[in-house]
Amino acid sequence: AEIGRILQTLDDTGLANNTLVILTSDHGEGLGHHNMVRKNFLYDEAAKVPMVVAFPGRTREGIVDTEHLVSGVDIFPTICDYAGAATPPKMRGLSMRQLVEGKATEWRPFVITEVTQGNRMVRTRDYKFVAYNGDPRVQLFDRRKDPGEVKNIADTPSAADLVKSHKKLLADWEAKLDYH
């Protein structure tokens, strides 16, 4: 209802066709999946959130993009792009403008998600790799074969190269972090 009020106000004031609308949330909830009801774990129920981008006449309508890995860090660069402003130099996100307008663009091959105390996830197109700070065990899920993230394949011999490549993605990403 509240989103409807905002959209109605945009219509009533004549601003609807000149306003970029982005709807998202900060996290999901466990809702009992994997026997968890909290938010600070990296299963999809908590890590995956909705992202709706609309700009009448500019963005594609009714399209659900399940191929591109987007993140909350992409929101600010997208707003900057539509506003014609430069994105600050240390921003990690990418403008989603080309994606939401249906234009071809190169996109990132992975996205990183972090929850409390440096617990991180690397999400690639087909896999999710999870490393919890201080825990030598890791998790690797085949998202196409196991969308419910029930079977951790990290310790299987056939997944050794996948674990290694995902660990490298995470290590390379962490090496570029600026904590200042």
Side-chain angles (χ1 to χ4, degrees):
E2 298 306 317
I3 294 165
R5 289 179 62 196
I6 292 169
L7 296 177
Q8 187 62 53
T9 300
L10 289 173
D11 283 337
D12 293 347
T13 58
L15 297 172
N17 290 327
N18 196 29
T19 302
L20 172 69
V21 176
I22 300 175
L23 172 70
T24 190
S25 66
D26 65 340
H27 60 78
E29 295 292 342
L31 299 175
H33 293 271
H34 300 280
N35 293 319
M36 297 183 178
V37 293
R38 55 195 171 138
K39 62 184 178 186
N40 60 343
F41 59 91
L42 292 164
Y43 290 115
D44 266 7
E45 290 81 16
K48 204 172 175 183
V49 297
M51 173 88 69
V52 178
V53 180
F55 201 157
R58 299 185 194 187
T59 58
R60 302 175 296 160
E61 294 182 24
I63 302 297
V64 177
D65 183 342
T66 59
E67 295 301 312
H68 296 94
L69 298 167
V70 299
S71 171
V73 299
D74 299 326
I75 295 171
F76 191 72
T78 302
I79 293 168
C80 287
D81 191 0
Y82 275 104
T87 301
K90 291 189 177 186
M91 296 291 304
R92 295 219 164 250
L94 303 171
S95 172
M96 297 178 288
R97 184 175 183 166
Q98 300 287 56
L99 295 179
V100 299
E101 291 182 2
K103 299 175 182 170
T105 186
E106 286 194 32
W107 199 250
R108 68 168 66 92
F110 68 95
V111 68
I112 304 286
T113 299
E114 179 177 358
V115 292
T116 56
Q117 303 169 2
N119 301 319
R120 295 194 173 118
M121 168 191 85
V122 178
R123 176 70 161 88
T124 57
R125 182 179 172 138
D126 296 329
Y127 296 94
K128 178 190 279 188
F129 173 80
V130 180
Y132 288 99
N133 195 16
D135 189 343
R137 294 176 306 157
V138 296
Q139 296 175 312
L140 181 70
F141 298 103
D142 183 329
R143 296 288 301 132
R144 301 244 184 224
K145 293 179 182 173
D146 180 22
E149 301 171 331
V150 176
K151 185 176 181 189
N152 179 7
I153 62 171
D155 292 331
T156 62
S158 61
D161 287 341
L162 288 167
V163 169
K164 184 178 178 181
S165 66
H166 283 72
K167 277 184 179 180
K168 181 170 179 8
L169 288 173
L170 182 56
D172 291 349
W173 183 84
E174 287 177 335
K176 294 177 184 172
L177 292 177
D178 182 0
Y179 292 104
H180 298 100

